[in-house]
Amino acid sequence: MGSDATAIFDAEAAQTMMKELRAVYGSGATKSYDWRVSQLSQLLKLIEYHEDDIAAALRSDLSKPDIESYVYEIGVLKSSIKLALKELRKWMSPEKVKTSLISFPSSAKIVPEPLGIVLIISAWNYPFLLSLDPLVGAIAAGNAAVLKPSEISPVSSALIAKLVREYMDSSTIRVVEGAVAETSVLLEQKWDKICYTGNAVVGRIVMAAAAKHLTPVLLELGGKCPAVVDLNINLQVACRRIIMGKWGSNNGQTCVSPDYIITTKANAPKLIDALKTELEKFYGKNMLESNDLSRIVNSNHFARLIKLLDEDKVSGKVVYGGKRDESILKIMPTILLDVPRNSLIMKEEIFGPLLPILTVDRLEDSFNIINSGTKPLAAYLFTNDKRFREHFVTEVSAGGLVVNDTTIHLGVLTLPFGGVGDSGMGSYHGKFSFDAFSHKKAVLYRGFVADADIRYPPYTRKKLRLLQALLGGSFLTIILALFGRN
Amino acid sequence: MEEGSGDLGRELEEMREYYVTGTTRQESWRRAQLKGLLRFVKENEDPIMDALGRDLGKHPAEAYRDEIGSSIKSLNYALDHLKAWMSSKKAKLPKIAILTKAEIISEPLGLVLVISSWNFPFGLSLEPLIGALSAGNAVVLKPSEISPICSSLLATRLINYVDAKAVKIVQGGPTIGEQLLRYRWDKIFFTGNAQIGRLVMAAASRELTPVTLELGGKCPAVFDRISSSFERKVAVQRVLGAKFSACAGQACIGIDYILTEKSLGATLVDTMKSMMEKLFGKNPKESRSIARIVNRNHFLRLKNLLDDPVVKATIVHGGSMDEHNLFIEPTILMNPPLESAIMTDEIFGPILPIITLQNIEDSINFINARPKPLAIYIFSKNSSLKRRMVKETSSGSVIFNDALIQYLVDTLPFGGVGESGIGQYHGKFSFDAFSHPKAVARRSFLVDLWFRFPPWNDHKLQLFRSAYEYDYLGIVLTVLGLNKPRGASSKV
């Protein structure tokens, strides 16, 4: 059975847990195909039988609309598990690689093997997805795992702990609930991989802790994801897609939400009008009362967002929205125009329902704005201009790019999902999840035949010539060298 | 390059500005750098061999085999494959995502730092450089001060064959290393020991800089019963070659110690002794085929390992040392105590302990009780033992019936796991180590699934369920109103 939910998780408890996990992992239990399939199947059952409980937990923690829970957490998780079940044998099988004259005769392959015991620390905005999707990769790759869900979504965290205890193999898969103290204790242990989803400040702490044990890390962080909007596009479709990526994704509290928009001065009024129209179509006139928008997760974040909105040089730039109700932790979709570049709202990741629009004279100027900041997790471009599009794709560095939409690349499981620079390191989803939790071991087979003396001492000039021919030369020079003609 | 910190900061800024111009991203630029490195190696074979002889006592043939030739091979391989490596990879799409294209584009990381070590100063500088430059980065190389003549040759000559605005070589010791680590890099590639590896990763964490750490460990060679005496001799020759003839055992993938069965121990030692003479002659000190210990520090370190009286008593071959010439004779030990330093620390020298076990299969538990090594070598003809070794142990790589040669195979990833390192390189893995795989998805403005947008209702929820199951029939039926939507437990 898993640990008693009310017991304190201190250093001693952590060390005991690690010892237990290492013993079971060392016995080879998690390496078999059957174990992995059984755990993945259990995970699928866990989700399928508790969809309503999951949606209820998300409603409690985040006031998340049911459809968002279904689409972004339950639906994606189910696809992910089903893909892993379908592809597992292929992923697990060694990959044969060609060998050359240098090691002749030989054969070689790359064999994926689990890393060992992995730690998965997840964020509060998609509590089920961000803890269980990495778990899919960890299990598929044959690891034991410990989950540390976020305490900022406590009902979800408790449900994850309860369901994992009920459905999964508790000798190898555990959940530790808690906050800073418990996370610190966990980070002191020696893990074989740590997967962290959250912000860059804690990301640094996680990597520094990992450095002590030479533990590799997968860091899924955030950043200010820009959306560049060009002229001569289907503005209505573009706005709908921007709205879905922003307010339709946990009300902007998503690492890949478009954080801010860049468009031309001439285009801005049309864009703002189109956004207003579509917003009211989706959410009605009284948006604070709409059930189709998540709330702000807690009063800390609410205060943080109000501070961004009410900053002196920013408050006058609101062109739509601005209404808020602290008692229900709601801020309505708000659009701002041309806030100063040095305002707080343009310096930190917004993570909320505020959308600044920056205007430029020429859209090409947007590249400088984007590249002057840290590399974001995603960047978006809405355009029909082929040349501009290709320029953007080459010039803008981000975890991922989407042209003419937002966030959908997360649903394409053949694309790696991860950041670069301050937005993270490593990637996952689909086979990339399996790879993220695997070590690709090189295996080389040689026979005892045909050993070239030239490899060994005593070293002579003749051997040197042969080596030069073998390593640096062509087939002909090798033949000539062997016959002593060089 | 000057070592004042103000100058260093300014030079790095200039490198970044140059990187931003986009010059290093072009295929022609990358090709020119690789060709430059190739010319550097080919035109400087003699100075390189001379430098390796002076810093490490390597014979030209050893220098060629382990560093010059291997670099030429890797450079040719990179030039042949550069275009393919640079091309974007199309990603398969599920049918529901019509009108979307998806691909993965490899882009350079930016300004990267490569720190190499002293035992293969050219090889371990050039291999990562090949990765960094073929991936389109600007790069600063810090070779090791412990092989100063090699380091100086790189700094003064290699720089003439590449674009000096994007490639810099900084000489110096720990102080300059610490200074470099205080700057912001887009990647740090480090080859060295685990202790410094930890410091490098801790420094990298401050700027969220990804790292590749090529560290070390105690690489075991499991020596099974081999009945054919010819094959046994070949195996022993390979073991001794791998231990003693590659920088005198000072190699991260060198064989550290041997595991064999009790009953095989005596024969093994005898075969080794006769093979030693064949390789190194009657007087190994006169043989020009063994490298030197790199410096007095390391010499004394190794001397201490052997001076332990309990360890000294287990010497069955060799044991003589010449501090003045930094020479240690190839030495074989039989069953030194497992708690002695020589069996707990990475030896990194020409001393070969043989540990005998009751059964050869016991070597699996022996290896698993210790940190994961960079390589495990197995000399055996037993298929079931081979299968078990691959399945039940973990290491950077596993090699059967040979040693060190994996270093030359471009198609195999080279790197450690656990304490032996993070990340891999060689061949395409080098290119990938210095690239960011950017996911790019494209859509047109046509056709949006109308149920994608609020306001929400059960009907739309049902459509989402069908979409996620890739259940096209379900979608059609629901749209036509023929599928009863499964109600959510609480209405919105």
Side-chain angles (χ1 to χ4, degrees):
Chain A
M1 290 307 293
S3 50
D4 176 357
T6 57
I8 294 176
F9 189 78
D10 56 8
E12 200 184 318
Q15 278 152 33
T16 309
M17 177 185 76
M18 295 308 286
K19 232 163 111 195
E20 288 167 3
L21 290 169
R22 289 226 173 269
V24 180
Y25 176 77
S27 73
T30 62
K31 293 190 181 174
S32 71
Y33 174 79
D34 290 338
W35 180 88
R36 305 182 202 197
V37 166
S38 86
Q39 291 308 290
L40 290 172
S41 307
Q42 283 300 105
L43 195 57
L44 188 58
K45 269 201 214 132
L46 180 165
I47 294 164
E48 282 178 341
Y49 294 1
H50 295 273
E51 283 183 18
D52 295 340
D53 295 329
I54 291 171
L58 291 167
R59 239 176 290 123
S60 171
D61 280 332
L62 300 155
S63 301
K64 196 177 273 202
D66 281 351
I67 280 203
E68 280 194 42
S69 299
Y70 188 81
V71 172
Y72 292 126
E73 303 221 33
I74 296 166
V76 172
L77 269 172
K78 280 162 58 172
S79 302
S80 180
I81 299 170
K82 286 181 182 171
L83 181 71
L85 282 166
K86 179 161 166 266
E87 302 287 310
L88 187 60
R89 269 225 195 273
K90 203 157 52 143
W91 292 352
M92 282 175 71
S93 56
E95 177 198 340
K96 249 181 149 323
V97 296
K98 283 211 281 252
T99 53
S100 69
L101 194 60
I102 288 194
S103 54
F104 181 84
S106 65
S107 69
K109 58 187 182 182
I110 301 173
V111 176
E113 58 177 30
L115 291 165
I117 323 271
V118 310
L119 173 64
I120 298 169
I121 303 175
S122 50
W124 52 262
N125 52 348
Y126 294 84
F128 294 91
L129 181 67
L130 300 176
S131 54
L132 301 178
D133 202 15
L135 182 61
V136 172
I139 292 173
N143 300 276
V146 174
L147 305 181
K148 161 71 193 68
S150 171
E151 70 282 11
I152 295 181
S153 44
V155 178
S156 302
S157 174
L159 184 60
I160 291 167
K162 172 168 172 280
L163 292 177
V164 166
R165 238 186 348 254
E166 221 173 288
Y167 284 83
M168 310 300 291
D169 170 7
S170 57
S171 70
T172 50
I173 299 173
R174 306 267 184 98
V175 177
V176 173
E177 290 195 84
V180 173
E182 287 76 9
T183 308
S184 304
V185 161
L186 284 169
L187 286 174
E188 280 162 21
Q189 311 309 311
K190 178 167 158 45
W191 303 94
D192 298 297
K193 179 106 184 190
I194 300 177
C195 167
Y196 168 76
T197 305
N199 66 62
V201 170
V202 179
R204 284 176 174 83
I205 295 171
V206 170
M207 189 173 171
K212 295 204 185 83
H213 296 289
L214 292 168
T215 298
V217 298
L218 166 59
L219 302 179
E220 297 273 329
L221 309 175
K224 292 183 78 62
C225 302
V228 177
V229 181
D230 197 0
L231 303 154
N232 303 320
I233 57 170
N234 186 330
L235 203 51
Q236 184 189 47
V237 172
C239 285
R240 288 180 167 180
R241 294 175 182 179
I242 291 171
I243 293 170
M244 288 317 294
K246 180 82 168 184
W247 298 284
S249 301
N250 208 24
N251 208 7
Q253 300 163 101
T254 300
C255 51
V256 287
S257 279
D259 185 277
Y260 66 102
I261 291 190
I262 305 176
T263 193
T264 53
K265 286 190 164 46
N267 203 28
K270 275 198 298 221
L271 175 58
I272 293 170
D273 277 337
L275 281 170
K276 286 184 192 176
T277 311
E278 296 306 312
L279 275 170
E280 285 175 15
K281 261 194 230 162
F282 290 179
Y283 302 115
K285 284 259 187 235
N286 197 344
M287 292 186 195
L288 288 176
E289 287 177 11
S290 169
N291 282 318
D292 289 337
L293 288 166
S294 298
R295 69 162 197 266
I296 307 306
V297 67
N298 62 20
S299 47
N300 274 354
H301 280 276
F302 186 90
R304 179 183 65 79
L305 288 162
I306 295 305
K307 191 158 159 236
L308 297 182
L309 194 49
D310 289 350
E311 193 186 8
D312 275 339
K313 43 193 171 183
V314 162
S315 54
K317 307 285 183 183
V318 176
V319 293
Y320 182 80
K323 287 220 282 279
R324 75 291 296 263
D325 184 344
E326 188 164 359
S327 65
I328 49 172
L329 291 176
K330 287 239 173 167
I331 301 173
M332 69 174 284
T334 299
I335 304 172
L336 305 104
L337 181 61
D338 281 328
V339 299
R341 300 279 301 282
N342 62 0
S343 54
L344 285 174
I345 202 172
M346 281 312 298
K347 288 218 286 246
E348 54 179 77
E349 184 175 0
I350 296 167
F351 226 69
L354 317 175
L355 181 68
I357 299 179
L358 298 181
T359 60
V360 291
D361 291 318
R362 285 169 43 251
L363 214 52
E364 281 75 11
D365 298 339
S366 62
F367 292 174
N368 284 338
I369 297 177
I370 298 170
N371 289 335
S372 69
T374 58
K375 296 178 183 179
L377 190 48
Y380 306 113
L381 169 66
F382 291 85
T383 190
N384 274 323
D385 181 338
K386 221 189 213 153
R387 200 193 49 84
F388 186 65
R389 183 187 72 205
E390 291 317 306
H391 198 199
F392 184 88
V393 168
T394 335
E395 291 298 314
V396 174
S397 182
L401 299 180
V402 185
V403 177
N404 297 334
D405 208 333
T406 62
T407 73
I408 54 157
H409 58 306
L410 268 69
V412 181
L413 298 184
T414 46
L415 283 176
F417 176 65
V420 61
D422 277 41
S423 51
M425 57 183 77
S427 59
Y428 72 124
H429 284 189
K431 181 168 194 289
F432 303 100
S433 292
F434 177 88
D435 292 342
F437 292 98
S438 298
H439 165 55
K440 298 300 180 78
K441 183 159 77 178
V443 181
L444 181 64
Y445 295 87
R446 293 211 72 208
F448 290 105
V449 185
D451 216 4
D453 248 356
I454 64 173
R455 280 173 62 184
Y456 304 109
Y459 297 132
T460 61
R461 284 271 136 203
K462 175 161 187 240
K463 286 188 185 179
L464 174 57
R465 278 199 301 280
L466 282 168
L467 280 168
Q468 282 169 322
L470 184 65
L471 287 168
S474 64
F475 199 58
L476 181 60
T477 51
I478 295 170
I479 301 289
L480 290 175
L482 282 169
F483 285 111
R485 295 293 177 83
N486 271 20
Chain B
M1 186 167 176
E2 305 96 282
E3 291 190 20
S5 64
D7 293 324
L8 183 54
R10 196 173 37 84
E11 297 203 47
L12 295 179
E13 263 314 301
E14 283 168 9
M15 290 183 79
R16 272 203 186 282
E17 282 163 23
Y18 185 64
Y19 171 76
V20 167
T21 65
T23 311
T24 66
R25 304 183 64 161
Q26 293 159 34
E27 186 185 333
S28 56
W29 183 90
R30 306 183 199 198
R31 218 169 261 288
Q33 304 317 299
L34 294 174
K35 286 194 177 146
L37 290 181
L38 193 54
R39 269 190 352 263
F40 161 73
V41 177
K42 287 185 169 169
E43 287 173 19
N44 289 281
E45 270 186 33
D46 285 339
I48 291 174
M49 286 174 179
D50 175 67
L52 287 168
R54 292 186 14 224
D55 273 338
L56 294 156
K58 288 193 189 186
H59 185 281
E62 183 183 331
Y64 195 89
R65 182 195 65 192
D66 294 345
E67 302 203 53
I68 299 170
S70 60
S71 302
I72 292 175
K73 164 204 68 73
S74 299
L75 283 160
N76 282 325
Y77 188 85
L79 282 161
D80 282 342
H81 292 84
L82 182 63
K83 211 187 182 72
W85 293 350
M86 283 180 68
S87 64
S88 69
K89 312 278 172 285
K90 279 217 162 8
K92 214 167 77 127
L93 290 168
K95 281 194 276 271
I96 196 79
I98 40 175
L99 299 174
T100 305
K101 267 193 263 180
E103 58 183 345
I104 303 167
I105 296 178
S106 284
E107 56 174 33
L109 293 167
L111 178 60
V112 306
L113 173 65
V114 173
I115 301 173
S116 59
S117 91
W118 52 262
N119 50 349
F120 297 87
F122 293 95
L124 297 178
S125 299
L126 289 166
E127 290 283 348
L129 271 184
I130 293 170
L133 293 168
S134 58
N137 298 278
V139 51
V140 172
L141 167 69
K142 189 206 128 359
S144 171
E145 75 286 8
I146 296 181
S147 45
I149 299 168
C150 296
S151 173
S152 169
L153 200 156
L154 284 166
T156 54
R157 292 215 197 180
L158 185 150
I159 205 66
N160 300 321
Y161 291 80
V162 291
D163 181 351
K165 294 198 285 294
V167 182
K168 297 243 187 281
I169 301 176
V170 181
Q171 291 196 80
T175 323
I176 201 77
E178 275 164 43
Q179 243 188 320
L180 286 167
L181 287 175
R182 275 186 234 127
Y183 291 96
R184 184 177 74 85
W185 304 93
D186 297 298
K187 172 96 187 194
I188 298 176
F189 187 105
F190 170 79
T191 306
N193 68 54
Q195 189 201 15
I196 312 286
R198 283 180 176 83
L199 295 175
V200 169
M201 188 170 170
S205 70
R206 290 197 298 264
E207 300 284 353
L208 290 169
T209 299
V211 298
T212 294
L213 305 177
E214 295 275 332
L215 311 176
K218 290 179 79 63
C219 300
V222 176
F223 207 97
D224 193 10
R225 178 177 304 278
I226 298 170
S227 37
S228 147
S229 91
F230 167 76
E231 289 180 345
R232 196 167 51 246
K233 289 208 188 82
V234 172
V236 167
Q237 185 178 45
R238 290 176 179 177
V239 165
L240 297 180
K243 176 71 183 190
F244 299 112
S245 82
C247 208
Q250 300 162 103
C252 53
I253 44 168
I255 293 176
D256 189 277
Y257 65 99
I258 296 204
L259 292 169
T260 193
E261 258 179 26
K262 250 197 188 76
S263 54
L264 302 172
T267 332
L268 182 57
V269 173
D270 283 339
T271 319
M272 282 187 171
K273 285 185 180 189
S274 52
M275 189 61 71
M276 286 280 233
E277 198 175 308
K278 182 174 164 217
L279 296 174
F280 304 112
K282 273 201 157 50
N283 195 347
K285 207 157 115 189
E286 312 286 310
S287 150
R288 288 197 57 220
S289 298
I290 306 179
R292 268 195 335 260
I293 306 307
V294 68
N295 62 20
R296 217 166 152 266
N297 272 352
H298 279 275
F299 181 91
L300 291 173
R301 178 184 63 79
L302 289 162
K303 184 167 181 294
N304 274 336
L305 293 180
L306 275 189
D307 275 352
D308 181 351
V310 200
V311 171
K312 211 187 201 108
T314 67
I315 296 178
V316 293
H317 182 94
S320 70
M321 301 192 219
D322 176 352
E323 185 167 338
H324 180 71
N325 290 309
L326 293 176
F327 171 82
I328 293 180
E329 185 188 356
T331 299
I332 304 174
L333 311 172
M334 180 58 96
N335 283 319
L338 296 180
E339 335 74 63
S340 56
I342 203 162
M343 281 311 296
T344 54
D345 303 343
E346 185 175 1
I347 298 170
F348 229 68
I351 307 168
L352 181 63
I354 300 175
I355 307 291
T356 59
L357 306 166
Q358 199 60 36
N359 293 307
I360 200 71
E361 285 84 11
D362 299 340
S363 53
I364 293 176
N365 287 340
F366 189 98
I367 292 170
N368 285 342
R370 290 161 172 78
K372 297 177 184 180
L374 197 43
I376 297 175
Y377 302 107
I378 299 133
F379 292 83
S380 174
K381 303 198 75 174
N382 181 337
S383 319
S384 115
L385 177 70
K386 287 186 189 180
R387 257 196 313 273
R388 281 194 68 195
M389 296 286 328
V390 173
K391 215 172 147 232
E392 297 177 37
T393 65
S394 181
S395 55
S397 32
V398 179
I399 291 84
F400 290 98
N401 300 329
D402 207 338
L404 303 188
I405 194 155
Q406 74 274 24
Y407 184 80
L408 297 175
V409 181
D410 303 292
T411 48
L412 284 177
F414 184 85
V417 64
E419 306 249 332
S420 50
I422 296 177
Q424 304 172 309
Y425 74 131
H426 285 188
K428 179 165 197 291
F429 304 99
S430 290
F431 179 89
D432 291 340
F434 290 95
S435 299
H436 163 55
K438 185 165 72 179
V440 180
R442 302 156 195 268
R443 283 203 81 179
S444 90
F445 284 102
L446 306 170
V447 183
D448 234 334
L449 299 170
W450 60 271
F451 56 87
R452 202 183 147 190
F453 308 111
W456 300 130
N457 54 45
D458 289 336
H459 198 60
K460 290 187 182 179
L461 176 56
Q462 177 59 22
L463 284 164
F464 272 118
R465 285 186 201 282
S466 302
Y468 267 92
E469 314 273 351
Y470 303 142
D471 172 17
Y472 310 113
L473 181 60
I475 293 174
V476 171
L477 293 178
T478 307
V479 170
L480 293 175
L482 296 174
N483 236 0
K484 245 202 179 57
R486 213 196 86 183
S489 67
S490 140
K491 296 291 181 183
V492 282

